[in-house]
Amino acid sequence: GNSVTQMEGPVTLSEEAFLTINCTYTATGYPSLFWYVQYPGEGLQLLLKATKADDKGSNKGFEATYRKETTSFHLEKGSVQVSDSAVYFCALSDSLGANNLFFGTGTRLTVIP
Amino acid sequence: DTAVSQTPKYLVTQMGNDKSIKCEQNLGHDTMYWYKQDSKKFLKIMFSYNNKELIINETVPNRFSPKSPDKAHLNLHINSLELGDSAVYFCASRAGTETQYFGPGTRLLVL
């Protein structure tokens, strides 16, 4: 079946620190992988995605590389800002049927000045 | 302007009531979804509709009934609300690109 295992939070970092949020997946077929972000009181926004092995998704300074050999899609940012404080969700979309999204449990990031 | 919109944004109601949440997308997408996010932020798919037809229904109680009057709308009707139904419900839509766009969520509180 399809599942996503995500690093548990919460994560608290100082501004300009390096961020890594781990994500590994189990899937049948060839899934696409996503990171969504949920800012306080808001809905989910797509942060970045990768549709095939070795693809790198990037946006707003965040990056994640689709690693098929380790079934991972870790999120990284070199220097976080207070405005990055949010909940981050790793997700996969199965390649069959309805292309439903399967989400990880979310990781809450708090960046302090 | 809003791509995926939901109404209401907040809903507070008593146990046993029946309520509906509406979702509309103006993106021309042909697939729409409902997700439930519990108090621990865990997100799970509830329903998926393609061209007004139900294509997946996860293990959701039959008190929940989605209705799609047309491709741009997917409403969620909930009968006999229970305390455990309190959650944030997100609507989403997708074209053939695999990227789903989410609405702002409806925060349901059952008292």
Side-chain angles (χ1 to χ4, degrees):
Chain A
N2 297 307
S3 67
V4 176
T5 302
Q6 191 174 336
M7 170 178 155
E8 289 198 22
V11 174
T12 302
L13 294 173
S14 297
E15 209 164 19
E16 300 184 2
F18 184 85
L19 169 71
T20 300
I21 302 178
N22 289 338
C23 173
T24 57
Y25 68 90
T26 303
T28 53
Y30 304 96
S32 295
L33 301 174
F34 305 83
W35 278 99
Y36 280 83
V37 58
Q38 185 177 26
Y39 297 103
E42 297 186 14
L44 277 80
Q45 301 175 26
L46 178 67
L47 181 60
L48 54 85
K49 69 175 185 179
T51 57
K52 61 183 189 296
D54 299 325
D55 269 2
K56 178 187 281 187
S58 60
N59 185 25
K60 300 181 181 180
F62 291 88
E63 292 183 340
T65 302
Y66 189 144
R67 301 280 188 206
K68 190 176 178 185
E69 63 276 12
T70 54
T71 61
S72 65
F73 193 56
H74 305 320
L75 182 69
E76 296 183 336
K77 186 174 185 181
S79 176
V80 293
Q81 305 300 313
V82 172
S83 57
D84 294 327
S85 298
V87 181
Y88 292 81
F89 293 90
C90 185
L92 71 83
S93 173
D94 60 16
S95 56
L96 306 170
N99 283 113
N100 290 330
L101 281 173
F102 295 84
F103 285 92
T105 50
T107 301
R108 182 181 297 279
L109 170 67
T110 301
V111 180
I112 54 178
Chain B
D1 276 343
T2 306
V4 182
S5 59
Q6 293 179 229
T7 53
K9 188 172 181 180
Y10 298 96
L11 183 54
V12 181
T13 188
Q14 298 286 336
M15 233 173 20
N17 284 351
D18 303 337
K19 291 292 178 185
S20 291
I21 307 171
K22 296 184 177 181
C23 177
E24 177 180 5
Q25 53 95 4
N26 61 6
L27 298 166
H29 291 169
D30 52 10
T31 306
M32 296 183 72
Y33 306 82
W34 277 108
Y35 289 85
K36 179 180 179 181
Q37 185 178 43
D38 63 23
S39 58
K40 296 184 179 179
K41 297 291 188 182
F42 186 66
L43 269 158
K44 189 172 181 183
I45 183 75
M46 298 175 70
F47 299 102
S48 173
Y49 262 75
N50 181 267
N51 285 318
K52 294 171 37 179
E53 291 189 18
L54 178 66
I55 55 176
I56 191 164
N57 176 354
E58 293 295 323
T59 51
V60 176
N62 58 14
R63 297 182 296 105
F64 291 79
S65 53
K67 285 186 170 47
S68 181
D70 54 59
K71 275 176 52 173
H73 295 84
L74 181 63
N75 303 325
L76 183 65
H77 189 74
I78 316 170
N79 288 328
S80 303
L81 278 155
E82 300 178 357
L83 295 177
D85 297 333
S86 296
V88 183
Y89 292 84
F90 287 101
C91 177
S93 73
R94 178 185 65 86
T97 60
E98 301 183 343
T99 299
Q100 291 187 22
Y101 293 88
F102 283 78
T106 295
R107 285 146 186 83
L108 171 65
L109 177 61
V110 182
L111 303 175

